[in-house]
Amino acid sequence: MLLRYIFFRVLMLIPVSISISVVIFMIVHLLPGDPIDNLIRIGSSPDDRALLVTKYGLDQPLFVQYFRWLGAMFQGDFGEAIVLRRPVADLISQNLPYSLTLGAMAFAFSSIVGIILGTISATTRSALMEQFVRGFILLGSTVPGFWLALLMILFFAVQLQMFPVSGAKGWDSLVLPVLTIGFGGVALVARVTRVALMDARREDFVTLLHAKGLSSGTILFRHLMPHAMLPVVTILALRIGWILGGAVTVEFVFGRPGLGSLLIRALGQRDYPVVQGCLLMLALAVMLGTLIGDVAQAAMDPRIREAKT
Amino acid sequence: MLEVKDLAVAFGSVAPLSGVTFSLAKGETLGIVGESGSGKSLTAMSIMGLLSMSDGRVTAGSIVFDGQELTTLAEPAYCKLRGGRIGLITQNPMTSLDPLKKIGTQVDSVAILHLGMSKKAARANTVDILATLRIPEPALICERYPHQMSGGMKQRIVIAMALAADPDLLIADEPTTALDVTVQAQIIRLLDDLVKQRDLALLLITHDMSVVAQTCDKVVVMYAGRAIEQGPVLEIFDDPQHPYTQALVGCIPRDLGDGEKLTSIPGTVPTVLNYPSGCKFHPRCARNQDICTTEQPELVRNGDSAVACHFAGAST
Ligand SMILES: Nc1ncnc2c1ncn2[C@@H]1O[C@H](COP(=O)(O)OP(=O)(O)OP(=O)(O)O)[C@@H](O)[C@H]1O
Ligand code: SF4
Ligand SMILES: [Mg+2]
């Protein structure tokens, strides 16, 4: 049943990936500017320029460029960075681990802490505790990430010198970026968990769970949490893309290497193949994220498993 | 077995239930009837000790089950009673099972919890019970999810859950209201058989007087949160004393003679927020006198029955 669901769900990714690849390809070519301008030495002749344009295939019709790009991509060839003059695949594989570490840590941080806080706020009898969590949720959902990042750099890195200001050397350099990306996530996940738990508790079947003689704790962990996790999983899946998007600015602010830094630099230099490669990786991550989210939901909810197959 | 006395319930300052008194013995079926909002479910929830789920509490009276006072019972002890010695069947089978868990798992957990059975023994127990409830292919059904079953089937599963730990008392709160008419009759017959086979006490809440006439030994009539008349079904139906009961019994569409008409009660049921003073039925009562608007009539015992009316027995 679940396998069937996964099969059809993966099948659906094909048209999605094709559209995404077209969009990524087009966006880059619609941007004003030209990478050759960054490449060419001052004083070169127009002939030199024409030579370079031909070399990188930029004189071909757009759809020819697209299919060449796509075909190469299937062979793992992301092309050659025009400005950096290295295979894009190398650049990506060099930078990706940094982004993945940061993303995974931020994801784990926001989901674990968020679910715990949300559960506490939905179940606590202490008004103070509830107020605290609600205040935190409000703060976390409204404070912009980059502002928080600067604030934390000023306080923890510059004033207290507890963590490095920038760079990616050692684990302690991860702390501030993870906190920055994760903070908003914690608030979001806590809020969704809280609401979902309170909704689940109002469901009819909860009366009968109590009537069976189950303790409140058993009901919470065996029955209410699985229900509450359905919307949380949806949010978390969407969050994967969001976190990588957040990583783009955060990597930049903290001067960390990574896909985000690579993308921003490549954008500045109009280095098409690099930008395309980076965007494609991000899109892939978002697609994988929603796929994992959907499959997780189907694994948890028999109604979804059946409805879609 | 079960003795409820002067039970009163409040939610904050709202007091929708008061003066509810009745008793129920082993092997007996007691019907509770009354219009919507008359406090039938609240009575059931009070006995189950589940009022706190909706922030309600028992403010007066007592509930004694098998010699044990329930209104002051601590939660862990109550958890042993619920599902273990008192089973509950609720109104809407479509929403009363956990949609994420297999049927078998949901029924098994009762025997595991209360009878200390292993998973395997509990499953055998579940299959047995499903079979007695005339569910075809019980072992297969255990592997199904709630959304794959009909309303009538689900209600049988709910009944199986209530029975899994072999309780002494079954509370069925309008167990058939949400079901098709044909299925309704099946479920009622099933409950009736169970009472006889297992020597259960059954508290059957309904607003269907004909169901009461068919299956119950005793009946409690509720109006606006109070028990206003009760006694053996035959007595109450033959010779109702309270004007409201008289009207209700008159409502049953059975052997209507040629000239006979269905009586219906003029006026509307009061809600908790506008309970009238004195006798809560007085705005709709044809027999009402001055005293009825000022003084609440107490439930007065008379042989096996009891009635709460200043002018009980007189006919209008
Ligand atoms: N959580 C609550 N807070 C406040 N009042 C409540 C609450 N639950 C029930 N009541 C009130 O108690 C009264 C009795 O409700 P109850 O559910 O017992 O009625 P009922 O006889 O079961 O009706 P029905 O036939 O519709 O099931 C109603 O008037 C309702 O407004
Ligand atoms: S007490 Fe009075 S108002 Fe109430 S039922 Fe009896 S006669 Fe009617
Ligand atoms: Mg009810």
Side-chain angles (χ1 to χ4, degrees):
Chain A
M1 217 50 201
L2 187 59
L3 281 179
R4 243 172 85 91
Y5 175 86
I6 295 175
F7 175 75
F8 281 102
R9 184 60 186 70
V10 170
L11 217 60
M12 271 164 51
L13 283 182
I14 294 173
V16 177
S17 345
I18 292 177
S19 340
I20 288 178
S21 68
V22 172
V23 170
I24 289 176
F25 182 81
M26 291 312 290
I27 286 178
V28 170
H29 281 79
L30 291 177
L31 289 175
D34 189 326
I36 306 296
D37 295 338
N38 284 326
L39 204 60
I40 211 153
R41 251 168 263 123
I42 297 173
S44 306
S45 69
D47 281 351
D48 289 347
R49 186 188 161 82
L51 212 69
L52 280 172
V53 167
T54 322
K55 181 180 169 202
Y56 290 106
L58 297 178
D59 54 345
Q60 300 283 328
L62 270 187
F63 76 91
V64 175
Q65 288 189 43
Y66 171 72
F67 281 110
R68 270 194 189 167
W69 175 67
L70 200 66
M73 201 97 66
F74 271 113
Q75 295 156 27
D77 175 11
F78 285 66
E80 172 112 356
I82 299 176
V83 181
L84 292 173
R85 299 184 197 231
R86 293 178 49 200
V88 175
D90 281 5
L91 286 172
I92 287 178
S93 61
Q94 220 171 60
N95 283 279
L96 193 61
Y98 290 102
S99 296
L100 283 184
T101 317
L102 178 59
M105 301 278 287
F107 182 81
F109 171 65
S110 54
S111 37
I112 294 171
V113 179
I115 288 172
I116 292 175
L117 279 185
T119 308
I120 291 176
S121 81
T123 52
T124 182
R125 286 180 204 277
S126 141
L128 198 73
M129 191 69 191
E130 211 206 312
Q131 283 306 315
F132 169 75
V133 179
R134 288 178 70 166
F136 180 85
I137 289 175
L138 189 70
L139 202 71
S141 341
T142 44
V143 171
F146 68 89
W147 186 74
L148 187 72
L150 293 175
L151 217 64
M152 286 203 298
I153 291 179
L154 272 179
F155 189 68
F156 291 111
V158 178
Q159 288 279 317
L160 299 180
Q161 310 211 326
M162 284 167 66
F163 302 106
V165 176
S166 71
K169 282 202 198 77
W171 286 101
D172 53 351
S173 68
L174 265 172
V175 175
L176 292 185
V178 165
L179 284 179
T180 307
I181 306 179
F183 193 63
V186 168
L188 181 71
V189 172
R191 198 175 60 206
V192 174
T193 307
R194 176 189 150 82
V195 171
L197 262 181
M198 300 210 294
D199 281 350
R201 204 161 39 194
R202 269 194 294 273
E203 297 263 359
D204 253 6
F205 67 82
V206 179
T207 310
L208 271 192
L209 292 177
H210 283 287
K212 289 204 292 193
L214 300 174
S215 68
S216 302
T218 310
I219 292 176
L220 175 67
F221 289 110
R222 289 256 188 83
H223 296 272
L224 298 183
M225 284 307 263
H227 276 263
M229 284 308 111
L230 291 174
V232 173
V233 162
T234 310
I235 290 295
L236 284 178
L238 293 175
R239 215 49 216 168
I240 292 180
W242 202 95
I243 281 175
L244 285 176
V248 173
T249 46
V250 169
E251 279 172 0
F252 192 71
V253 173
F254 285 98
R256 283 176 59 86
L259 220 53
S261 303
L262 182 66
L263 176 63
I264 289 183
R265 195 172 37 176
L267 268 173
Q269 299 167 334
R270 304 282 180 271
D271 201 337
Y272 294 167
V274 180
V275 173
Q276 282 168 342
C278 289
L279 285 182
L280 207 72
M281 292 315 286
L282 287 178
L284 205 69
V286 173
M287 256 168 35
L288 272 179
T290 36
L291 176 70
I292 293 171
D294 282 0
V295 170
Q297 268 204 331
M300 288 157 67
D301 191 339
R303 293 165 299 182
I304 297 179
R305 256 183 337 253
E306 247 154 72
K308 292 202 181 159
T309 55
Chain B
M1 175 101 281
L2 180 70
E3 193 94 39
V4 176
K5 217 167 163 190
D6 273 325
L7 180 68
V9 167
F11 297 88
S13 58
V14 188
L17 201 76
S18 62
V20 175
T21 300
F22 61 83
S23 67
L24 174 59
K26 229 176 162 64
E28 247 182 8
T29 301
L30 172 78
I32 298 187
V33 289
E35 285 162 287
S36 195
S38 56
K40 305 184 295 291
S41 298
L42 283 186
T43 307
M45 291 314 252
S46 312
I47 300 169
M48 291 303 292
L50 293 178
L51 286 173
S52 57
M53 271 182 72
S54 46
D55 294 320
R57 68 207 156 82
V58 173
T59 50
S62 76
I63 302 170
V64 177
F65 172 75
D66 205 16
Q68 200 171 12
E69 174 61 51
L70 298 189
T71 51
T72 53
L73 195 63
E75 183 61 19
Y78 230 132
C79 279
K80 290 214 176 74
L81 279 188
R82 289 196 284 256
R85 302 204 52 205
I86 309 180
L88 178 71
I89 300 162
T90 45
Q91 177 168 351
N92 194 347
M94 299 319 281
T95 53
S96 47
L97 295 168
D98 186 337
L100 304 186
K101 302 265 186 306
K102 284 181 183 167
I103 299 291
T105 322
Q106 300 196 44
V107 183
D108 294 350
S109 67
V110 179
I112 294 174
L113 183 68
H114 295 289
L115 305 180
M117 284 187 182
S118 67
K119 276 189 184 171
K120 224 170 147 189
R123 176 54 56 90
N125 181 55
T126 299
V127 169
D128 269 359
I129 293 173
L130 294 188
T132 49
L133 296 179
R134 292 172 216 133
I135 294 174
E137 308 194 77
L140 261 167
I141 292 284
C142 284
E143 296 302 315
R144 295 266 194 89
Y145 287 96
H147 72 278
Q148 298 167 322
M149 318 190 41
S150 70
M153 266 311 157
K154 278 191 224 179
Q155 193 62 307
R156 280 165 212 249
I157 302 298
V158 171
I159 296 175
M161 259 170 22
L163 288 176
D166 201 15
D168 307 298
L169 169 66
L170 212 54
I171 300 178
D173 188 354
E174 308 199 33
T176 61
T177 311
L179 303 173
D180 293 343
V181 185
T182 48
V183 183
Q184 282 186 9
Q186 288 169 10
I187 297 285
I188 291 292
R189 214 172 313 125
L190 205 59
L191 287 174
D192 206 26
D193 291 350
L194 284 171
V195 172
K196 295 199 176 90
Q197 285 162 16
R198 301 185 167 225
D199 205 25
L200 282 169
L202 173 64
L203 186 68
L204 180 63
I205 296 173
T206 173
H207 44 223
D208 188 341
M209 287 299 266
S210 56
V211 166
V212 173
Q214 278 165 35
T215 56
C216 298
D217 305 302
K218 299 199 295 189
V219 60
V220 175
V221 182
M222 293 196 59
Y223 186 81
R226 297 186 74 92
I228 51 117
E229 182 161 14
Q230 57 180 284
V233 167
L234 289 179
E235 259 175 60
I236 302 291
F237 277 64
D238 275 353
D239 188 19
Q241 303 288 304
H242 195 284
Y244 177 66
T245 318
Q246 289 170 351
L248 267 190
V249 171
C251 280
I252 308 175
R254 50 159 191 187
D255 44 52
L256 288 176
D258 292 343
E260 268 183 286
K261 264 199 278 171
L262 255 175
T263 44
S264 66
I265 314 167
T268 52
V269 198
T271 63
V272 202
L273 300 175
N274 60 6
Y275 275 171
S277 61
C279 171
K280 297 200 164 62
F281 188 56
H282 83 255
R284 299 167 79 185
C285 183
R287 222 183 287 161
N288 112 54
Q289 307 279 322
D290 287 349
I291 182 175
C292 301
T293 56
T294 55
E295 254 177 71
Q296 173 95 44
E298 290 304 315
L299 202 59
V300 178
R301 200 146 263 301
N302 174 19
D304 285 337
S305 352
V307 60
C309 170
H310 293 303
F311 305 98
S315 62
T316 21

mmCIF file of all heavy atoms in Angstrom, chain A residues 30 176 217 236:
data_model
loop_
_atom_site.group_PDB
_atom_site.id
_atom_site.type_symbol
_atom_site.label_atom_id
_atom_site.label_comp_id
_atom_site.label_asym_id
_atom_site.label_seq_id
_atom_site.Cartn_x
_atom_site.Cartn_y
_atom_site.Cartn_z
ATOM 1 N N LEU A 30 17.010 35.304 -18.656
ATOM 2 C CA LEU A 30 16.259 36.549 -18.749
ATOM 3 C C LEU A 30 16.916 37.656 -17.926
ATOM 4 O O LEU A 30 16.571 38.817 -18.031
ATOM 5 C CB LEU A 30 14.812 36.334 -18.296
ATOM 6 C CG LEU A 30 14.006 35.460 -19.273
ATOM 7 C CD1 LEU A 30 12.608 35.217 -18.741
ATOM 8 C CD2 LEU A 30 13.955 36.103 -20.649
ATOM 9 N N LEU A 176 25.890 29.921 15.959
ATOM 10 C CA LEU A 176 25.092 31.114 15.657
ATOM 11 C C LEU A 176 24.266 30.957 14.380
ATOM 12 O O LEU A 176 23.079 31.283 14.385
ATOM 13 C CB LEU A 176 25.977 32.355 15.598
ATOM 14 C CG LEU A 176 26.571 32.766 16.958
ATOM 15 C CD1 LEU A 176 27.341 34.067 16.833
ATOM 16 C CD2 LEU A 176 25.509 32.868 18.030
ATOM 17 N N GLY A 217 -1.351 10.386 29.933
ATOM 18 C CA GLY A 217 -0.040 10.308 29.288
ATOM 19 C C GLY A 217 -0.068 9.382 28.081
ATOM 20 O O GLY A 217 0.427 9.717 27.008
ATOM 21 N N LEU A 236 7.178 20.849 8.399
ATOM 22 C CA LEU A 236 8.606 20.534 8.408
ATOM 23 C C LEU A 236 9.112 20.281 6.996
ATOM 24 O O LEU A 236 10.214 20.697 6.631
ATOM 25 C CB LEU A 236 8.880 19.314 9.292
ATOM 26 C CG LEU A 236 8.843 19.584 10.797
ATOM 27 C CD1 LEU A 236 9.076 18.295 11.567
ATOM 28 C CD2 LEU A 236 9.899 20.616 11.181
#
